Amino acid sequence: MSTPARGYAAHSAETPLALWNFERRTLRADDVSIEILYCGVCHSDLHFARDDWGMATYPVVPGHEIVGRVTAVGSDVVTFKTGDVVGVGCMVDSCRQCSSCNSGLEQYCAEGFTMTYGSPDRHDNTLTQGGYSDSVVVSERFVVRMPEGIDLKSAAPILCAGITTYSPLKHYGVKPGDKVGIIGMGGLGHMGVKLASAMGAEVTLFTRSESKVAEAKRQGADHVVVSTDESQMAAMTETFDFMLDTVPVQHDINPYLNALKPDGTHILVGLLEPLDPAVSGANLVFRRRVLAGSLIGGMPETQEVLEFCAEHGITCDVEMINIDQINEAWDRMQKGDVRYRFVIDMASLKGDNAA
Ligand SMILES: [Zn+2]
Ligand SMILES: [Zn+2]
C-alpha cells in the first residue's frame, strides 16, 4: 500500500506550482519514511521545472534541501529509527557498485545518480518527487543525520548549497593561510565564504556590484573586490591559491585565472555550458594553473559538512516562507531578490493555507 502525500507540483514549464495529491511508495526493506519539516528552495528547482535544461518531467514536485523527522523504517534499516531528525539532499539513489559509489562519491556514479525529483526510480521506474511536500521515502544510504543542536531551518540549504561549496574546498585541500577567492554572492557564494573562512583561509569575495561590499564583509569575507573595476582586478594578479566560481551564467574567467598564483586552481561549481569567452590556454600553461569542476558531494561528505557546520556554528542565511508563497519566491529568486535562500516551513502545508 502506498501512502497518500501532498505537495506543490509543476504540471508544465509555463504553469505555476500548485497543490497536488500524489503517492509515496510502500517502504522497501532499506527505506526510511520522513515527515518533511523544512525544504530549501534552490535555483535548480526552478530551472528544472521550467525546463531550462531540457530534462523536465511532469508533474514534478521540486525540492532537494529536505529536513524532516523519521516516521517509519523498513525491516533492514540499521542507521535510523522513528523520531530521528534527518536530511535528504540532491540524490536518492545510485548504482551502488561502481568505483565512485564504492568510494562514497555517489554524485559521480558511472550510471548517473537518481535525482531527488524528476528521475526514474531504479526499481519501479516511477518518477521521484522532491521536498515541496509533506513526506518522502528514501533509502537509508541517501539519508543523513542532522547534528544535535543545529538550527534545522537554516541548515536545510547545507544539503545542496553547503555541500556543493564544501566538497571542492575540502577535495582541493584548502588549509589555514591559503588565499581563496569566492566568485558570486548568492546561495552558494555566501556559504563558500563562511566555509572557507572556517577552514582558516583568507577569503576574498568577488562581486559585480559595489552595493554588496559591506554585506560580504558581514558574511565573513576578509576582502571584497568589485570585479567590474579593472584596476581592482589588476591589483589581484597572482594573488590566490584557489578560486571558487559559483556563478551559474556566462562570465569571462580569464581575469580570474590571472588572479591565481602559479599552481593555483580555479573550480567551477555553477557553470555547465561551454565557456564563453573561451579560456586562453596561455593563462593556464604559463603558470601551471588548473581549471577544475565539482558537483555537490557524496553521502559521507554530506554528513561531514553538516558536522563541520554544527561545530563551527555555520548556517545559511534564510528567509522563511509558507508553501503558498512559493511562486512569488521563485519570481524573487530569479531577480536575485533573496538573502540567501528561501526555506519553506512545511507546517504551512498542513493548515488552512494548503486548502
Ligand atoms: Zn540545489
Ligand atoms: Zn555508481
Side-chain angles (χ1 to χ4, degrees), residues 42 44 64 160:
C42 176
S44 310
H64 60 205
C160 173

Side-chain angles (χ1 to χ4, degrees), residues 3 37 39 43 84 111 117 129 135 182 200 217 233 245 254 262 273 277 318 322 328 331 351:
T3 314
L37 301 173
C39 185
H43 275 267
D84 286 353
E111 292 185 4
Y117 55 82
Q129 302 292 356
S135 65
I182 308 281
K217 290 200 167 153
M233 287 300 284
D245 187 340
N254 290 291
E273 299 149 46
V318 301
N322 289 335
E328 185 195 329
D331 289 344

